[in-house]
Each structure stands twice: as C-alpha cells, then as structure tokens.
Amino acid sequence: IQMTQSPSSVSASVGDRVTITCRASQGIGIWLAWYQQKPGKAPKLLIYSESSLQVGVPSRFSGSGSGTDFTLTISSLQPEDFATYFCQQAGSFPITFGQGTRLEIK
Amino acid sequence: EVQLWESGGGLVQPGGSLRLSCAASGFTFSSYAMGWVRQAPGKGLEWVSSITGGGGGTYYADSVKGRFTISRDNSKNTLYLQMNSLRAEDTAVYFCVTTGSENYFASWGQGTLVTVSS
C-alpha cells in the first residue's frame, strides 16, 4: 500500500493552524498513525488508529479521516512543533510510511 | 519507562554481514511484538521487519526478504537483526521499535548506523 503525503514541505508561523494530508493507495480503515521527527532524533508517535492521541501528546494535535484519506491538524503551532511528520499505514504487511512533510518556520 | 538500546552497527563491505542487537527494558518484553525501521541518510522511514512476542511470526519488507533475519531471545530481553548480503542501499540508521498489536511503533531506540561501502 503506497502512502502519499502532501505537501512535502510547508512554512508556517507560531500560532498558525496547519493541516497535513496522507492518502493511501487502497483502503486501510482507520489503521493510520502519525509521527513527528526532529533532526538527529528518533521519530515519536503522535496519533494512532487515525485519531487516538498517544499519551503525553498535546491536544493541539489531532487526526481525522478513514479509508484512504487522512489528515493531521496542528491547531496552534508552537515553536517545538517545527519538525518532519510522517504518516504510516498499519492495516497490512508490508507496513509503509509516507515520504514525510517538513514543517518549517516562516 | 521503556528503554531500547541498539548496538552492532558499523562499516561493512558490500556482500558482507552484520548482526544488530536491541536490548530492551522497562516492559514485559515477551508480551510485545518488536520490529526494525530504517532511515537512509536524509531520507524517509522504511519498515524493515517485525516479529511477534513469542517469536513464531516474522514479517519482512520485500527489499530485505531472503537477506535479513529477525529473531528474539525473550530470556535476555533482546531483539536481533541478522543482515547478510548487504548492499549500498542498506546504508541507514536502524531503529529498534516496540510494535503494539495494531502495528504502531510506540517506542523507539536511538538508532544504530549501518554503512555499506567498499
């Protein structure tokens, strides 16, 4: 299953609302996760099963969608949110990731 | 607190072999599926392999099938990845991950760098 994220990169300011989209090449139900990765660090799980927030993740992060189209929304960007975000389908093997979306400071 | 510590990375020639290890602590290791995810320099994430808690089920990406073998020793709380017939395109940071029953990667190690080059 191929996962396609858009945009590949986005520039935004602190306080902005940002949306990142992930499209699966076939239906995956709700079996989608989102990860955040900062330079030189391991990725961090933010959201799983499309909209469930991982423990400790701020509530400004939210996920939605089902089937083939999914969205990660950050409601009010904070300085620590500037990073690269990846989606991942967990519906079937082989597990696949999107190519990533780089969120940069405007 | 879940802790995962990878080791075994390094420089290897094309066609060579390497075995990665991941020492786990802070959770009941045998109750969790585990896996490996890699990231080539400057690139995205690629799932490599997963193994069930008891070790009876293993899964591989097509890119490594037949060359890599995942295994675990639950008595030692350790995950392994045996990598044979290494290629330049296997160069990456390899992360050890915990995998829930739904194939999400909740915990990650710090990663170990594997470089395949002559």
Side-chain angles (χ1 to χ4, degrees):
Chain A
I1 299 174
Q2 186 172 355
M3 307 301 292
T4 304
Q5 283 181 240
S6 61
S8 297
S9 65
V10 58
S11 295
S13 301
V14 172
D16 284 354
R17 178 185 181 92
V18 170
T19 297
I20 298 169
T21 297
C22 183
R23 173 165 287 179
S25 60
Q26 63 188 73
I28 58 171
I30 62 166
W31 306 115
L32 184 102
W34 291 96
Y35 299 83
Q36 176 194 67
Q37 187 179 31
K38 297 181 179 179
K41 300 293 186 181
K44 173 187 174 183
L45 177 63
L46 299 175
I47 289 170
Y48 62 95
S49 296
E50 176 251 326
S51 61
S52 296
L53 208 61
Q54 178 69 346
V55 172
V57 174
S59 59
R60 63 181 179 272
F61 291 91
S62 64
S64 64
S66 66
T68 59
D69 294 306
F70 301 86
T71 299
L72 171 69
T73 299
I74 310 172
S75 60
S76 179
L77 275 173
Q78 298 301 300
E80 60 268 29
D81 299 337
F82 293 95
T84 301
Y85 293 83
F86 295 92
C87 63
Q88 174 232 329
Q89 70 82 14
S92 63
F93 288 105
I95 296 166
T96 45
F97 290 88
Q99 81 279 14
T101 294
R102 185 172 181 177
L103 177 52
E104 299 174 318
I105 301 174
K106 184 183 287 185
Chain B
E1 179 191 4
V2 172
Q3 292 197 343
L4 302 170
W5 189 262
E6 302 96 336
S7 60
L11 175 63
V12 61
Q13 292 188 339
S17 298
L18 214 54
R19 187 176 85 155
L20 306 183
S21 299
C22 171
S25 64
F27 63 105
T28 305
F29 183 70
S30 60
S31 296
Y32 282 79
M34 299 289 294
W36 294 94
V37 173
R38 69 184 180 184
Q39 186 169 37
K43 301 297 184 182
L45 301 170
E46 181 186 16
W47 169 77
V48 173
S49 182
S50 293
I51 186 168
T52 56
T58 57
Y59 307 87
Y60 298 94
D62 288 344
S63 59
V64 307
K65 199 173 294 183
R67 300 187 299 122
F68 290 11
T69 302
I70 191 171
S71 63
R72 63 193 297 161
D73 186 336
N74 287 344
S75 69
K76 296 182 178 178
N77 288 357
T78 302
L79 176 73
Y80 303 101
L81 186 67
Q82 177 67 43
M83 304 186 294
N84 298 331
S85 302
L86 282 161
R87 307 166 180 168
E89 54 265 36
D90 296 318
T91 293
V93 173
Y94 285 72
F95 295 101
C96 169
V97 294
T98 60
T99 305
S101 57
E102 299 163 335
N103 293 324
Y104 301 122
F105 307 130
S107 298
W108 298 64
Q110 84 293 344
T112 187
L113 176 63
V114 172
T115 303
V116 184
S117 175
S118 54

